[in-house]
Amino acid sequence: MSEALSGPGSSSEGPGGPSIDGPHDPEHDPRASYALEPEHVARLTDRVVSTTGTTVQVFSPINGAPLANIPQSSEADVAEAFRRARVAQAAWARVSIDERARILHRLHDIVLDRQAEIMDLIQLESGKARKHAFDEPLHIALTARYYARTAHEHLDPERKAGVVPGLTKVEVNRVPKGVVGIITPWNYPFTMALCDGLPALLAGNAVVIKPDAQTMLSALIAAEMLEEAGFPRELWQVVAGPGRVLGTPIIERADYICFTGSTATGKIIARQAAERLIGCSLELGGKNPILVLRDADIERAAEGAVRASFSNAGQLCVSTERMFVADAIYDRFVERFVARTKALSLGTGLNWDADMGTLISADQLETVSAHVDDAVAKGARVLAGGKARPDLAPYFYEPTILEGVTPEMTCFGNETFGPVVSIYRFHDEADAIARANDGEYGLNGSIYTRDTERGRRIARQVKCGTVNVNEAFGATFASIGAPMGGMRESGMGRRQGSEGIHRYTESQSVAVQRLMRLAPMLGMSDETYAKVMTASLRVMNKLGRA
């Protein structure tokens, strides 16, 4: 995902520290916007660790209005952020699990109480529809509550069987790694700022986070709410700047790296993490499929397909870009899918009226337009959409359905990350599964069928980290107890569930041996010891002991 800033007249400001002009006076500046209060913006951006005296102005994709000047961090600022985080982490690791969980419970309520404010900021920075902005505080509330309620389940010492029953006591501890580096994308700026960091904090770690440049304010309000809930301010450090400048300094200092973004960048991070022998979790690109089987409920499948394809204008890692529909219902399904797509309400207001909002940047618009234009030029048919809508917003593109997409077209195998889906007919389910598994990605998939047991069986054949049956993507993503992540080039590691918190810990085995030692005793020779141990192993095996 792009690190570049986009917007009409995007520019770097000169020296002047982290001061924020905020909305300009409309009497003197035609770009003036009172969308954000200057004092509020200044309070948020004051959380950025920055001594460069340089800021970058960011604009709303809705109308190009200026939002803030974001202070930029240097490598020295990254070093300072890690220094502060390590000091805070040493104290935080001594705080009880119960107290950490209580703070997470408070965060749950704060996020729900302030959801309107969160959604406003998300919409202003990203341009998404309000219904899709709501998904973010919802997901964070679910995440905070899940980890608060299951803290002991994941983090308490775990008893294991010892080598000598009754005489060897073994416990496995979960020790925090230290300081976790998190690099987050722009498409879900509030969710991605917190969902990976909350289990890291609960496990006793500190965090240094670099949010994407285009959506810093959504990430900063998340940091503000962490402090309001009771997390020490120094425990969550924020730096700002391009990934090409700050990425390596973060990886060089972190004890673990969590990244969500493009596959190309993820591979670079994986190599750098491997050089330091530190762990990393990477949620990367996707070209996600839906299978609509011959016995599917057509209306339910069409509704799900619209959400799967066009939520957040297709700028969702788990959204669908390829759709395989059984020949027996193809024409009826396409008719309903196209009708539902054309009926979507398009817009960018901070209200609940729009079903789909805008793309975030000129770069995204250029990619989407290029993919569609290339497909049409090579023979694909546009069933819905197919054009930009600058009358709605500078980067708006209509929800688009393509038919007749073939391998030589760019959008066939490359991630578009926009409101574009290709639809294909199939006759044989085995062939459809093989086509769904084609390519190198494997993030999310969906299957629509009235026979849910059959759907589960087919799901096991789909090479994706999450597969939803009779749902677009929400069933897996919102089930926080279940792991979420990608197979193949869609990533490594998992967020959510036990894997989502254990990745931030080191397992430590502690064994206490009583009475006998694990060596020859009472003048026993090594040969006799070996015979005694051999006999003991045979007895244990017959008794069915591990």
Side-chain angles (χ1 to χ4, degrees):
M1 298 178 184
S2 173
E3 291 287 346
L5 277 172
S6 299
S10 292
S11 63
S12 294
E13 300 292 318
S19 61
I20 301 302
D21 294 332
H24 296 247
D25 186 341
E27 292 186 23
H28 305 291
D29 189 339
R31 301 173 306 156
S33 166
Y34 284 101
L36 297 174
E37 291 293 335
E39 294 80 9
H40 185 203
V41 174
R43 188 174 75 246
L44 293 178
T45 56
D46 186 56
R47 293 179 176 274
V48 178
V49 181
S50 173
T51 58
T52 63
T54 300
T55 62
V56 171
Q57 194 170 29
V58 292
F59 302 84
S60 175
I62 293 176
N63 55 12
L67 295 176
N69 295 324
I70 305 297
Q72 298 297 285
S73 305
S74 64
E75 182 172 352
D77 293 322
V78 171
E80 173 61 16
F82 273 91
R83 185 196 67 78
R84 296 178 189 176
R86 291 202 182 281
V87 172
Q89 191 273 330
W92 178 248
R94 296 191 292 271
V95 174
S96 71
I97 292 175
D98 286 334
E99 177 58 22
R100 298 177 205 162
R102 277 194 289 270
I103 297 174
L104 274 185
H105 276 302
R106 287 198 292 270
L107 179 68
H108 171 278
D109 293 341
I110 289 168
V111 167
L112 294 182
D113 290 343
R114 297 179 64 181
Q115 63 179 285
E117 178 186 359
I118 296 167
M119 290 187 290
D120 284 350
L121 202 50
I122 291 169
Q123 287 189 275
L124 287 169
E125 285 198 304
S126 71
K128 67 177 63 177
R130 197 165 189 82
K131 62 194 287 186
H132 302 141
F134 171 70
D135 291 343
E136 302 204 41
L138 172 65
H139 184 252
I140 292 307
L142 288 169
T143 301
R145 178 158 53 88
Y146 167 78
Y147 280 114
R149 296 183 66 181
T150 60
H152 286 286
E153 173 187 331
H154 299 309
L155 297 175
D156 279 355
E158 184 179 359
R159 286 289 299 272
K160 297 292 184 181
V163 61
V164 181
L167 300 182
T168 308
K169 179 182 178 181
V170 179
E171 287 186 340
V172 177
N173 299 321
R174 291 287 174 179
V175 180
K177 285 185 177 289
V179 180
V180 174
I182 301 180
I183 302 173
T184 63
W186 48 259
N187 61 327
Y188 279 78
F190 184 78
T191 286
M192 292 298 134
L194 286 181
C195 71
D196 290 313
L198 295 184
L201 296 181
L202 181 64
N205 299 281
V207 168
V208 174
I209 185 171
K210 192 205 81 64
D212 189 272
Q214 297 171 98
T215 50
M216 284 293 302
L217 297 179
S218 297
L220 289 168
I221 200 171
E224 180 181 78
M225 291 179 185
L226 288 174
E227 184 178 2
E228 182 181 348
F231 289 103
R233 178 168 177 146
E234 297 291 283
L235 198 65
W236 188 274
Q237 298 290 317
V238 183
V239 294
R244 64 183 178 276
V245 175
L246 301 186
T248 295
I250 291 172
I251 297 167
E252 288 175 345
R253 293 168 174 82
D255 300 306
Y256 188 91
I257 289 290
C258 179
F259 170 76
T260 303
S262 71
T263 295
T265 302
K267 289 180 177 181
I268 294 171
I269 291 173
R271 286 194 292 268
Q272 292 179 318
E275 281 293 320
R276 293 196 56 230
L277 296 179
I278 62 171
C280 63
S281 52
L282 312 167
E283 193 223 281
L284 309 177
K287 195 71 179 175
N288 305 309
I290 278 184
L291 299 177
V292 183
L293 307 186
R294 66 176 64 89
D295 66 339
D297 180 325
I298 291 176
E299 202 62 39
R300 180 173 182 175
E303 184 278 331
V306 169
R307 284 189 292 112
S309 304
F310 306 126
S311 290
N312 194 22
Q315 300 168 120
L316 172 60
C317 296
V318 293
S319 66
T320 292
E321 295 194 8
R322 299 180 298 148
M323 193 170 300
F324 302 93
V325 183
D327 181 69
I329 62 169
Y330 183 88
D331 292 333
R332 287 178 292 153
F333 172 82
V334 169
E335 179 185 3
R336 294 305 304 140
F337 181 39
V338 170
R340 280 183 170 273
T341 299
K342 290 183 175 179
L344 290 174
S345 173
L346 310 180
T348 56
L350 302 188
N351 51 48
W352 296 91
D353 297 340
D355 293 316
M356 194 188 89
T358 180
L359 296 167
I360 193 172
S361 68
D363 285 346
Q364 291 304 115
L365 177 62
E366 181 181 355
T367 297
V368 171
S369 297
H371 280 205
V372 174
D373 292 348
D374 171 77
V376 171
K378 294 174 180 175
R381 297 173 295 282
V382 177
L383 303 184
K387 61 181 183 293
R389 290 290 302 276
D391 56 310
L392 296 176
Y395 316 126
F396 211 108
Y397 200 92
E398 291 181 336
T400 299
I401 303 170
L402 298 177
E403 188 180 53
V405 171
T406 54
E408 66 271 14
M409 300 174 188
T410 304
C411 70
F412 179 84
N414 294 292
E415 184 179 33
T416 303
F417 214 66
V420 180
V421 62
S422 304
I423 189 165
Y424 308 87
R425 186 189 301 260
F426 74 83
H427 304 279
D428 179 73
E429 283 184 3
D431 175 62
I433 295 167
R435 291 162 71 186
N437 289 334
D438 191 31
E440 298 302 321
Y441 291 121
L443 188 56
N444 180 64
S446 296
I447 300 167
Y448 278 84
T449 173
R450 296 179 194 269
D451 185 343
T452 56
E453 287 301 319
R454 180 159 148 263
R456 290 192 187 98
R457 290 196 300 271
I458 292 175
R460 288 193 285 270
Q461 301 174 57
V462 176
K463 296 178 181 177
C464 290
T466 55
V467 182
N468 298 265
V469 178
N470 293 331
E471 169 53 30
F473 57 82
T476 52
F477 198 79
S479 299
I480 310 299
M484 183 269 165
M487 296 181 181
R488 301 185 289 175
E489 291 204 354
S490 287
M492 55 188 288
R494 296 290 185 269
R495 65 167 52 97
Q496 304 189 167
S498 60
E499 292 177 61
I501 188 168
H502 287 167
R503 58 181 164 164
Y504 299 128
T505 66
E506 299 283 6
S507 59
Q508 179 195 55
S509 298
V510 177
V512 176
Q513 186 65 29
R514 299 175 60 239
L515 300 179
M516 67 171 288
R517 65 185 184 222
L518 298 180
M521 298 177 63
L522 304 174
M524 182 185 296
S525 70
D526 290 335
E527 182 179 5
T528 302
Y529 174 74
K531 291 178 180 179
V532 170
M533 291 302 294
T534 298
S536 298
L537 290 174
R538 294 187 189 282
V539 171
M540 297 293 284
N541 191 43
K542 288 182 179 180
L543 293 175
R545 298 296 297 268

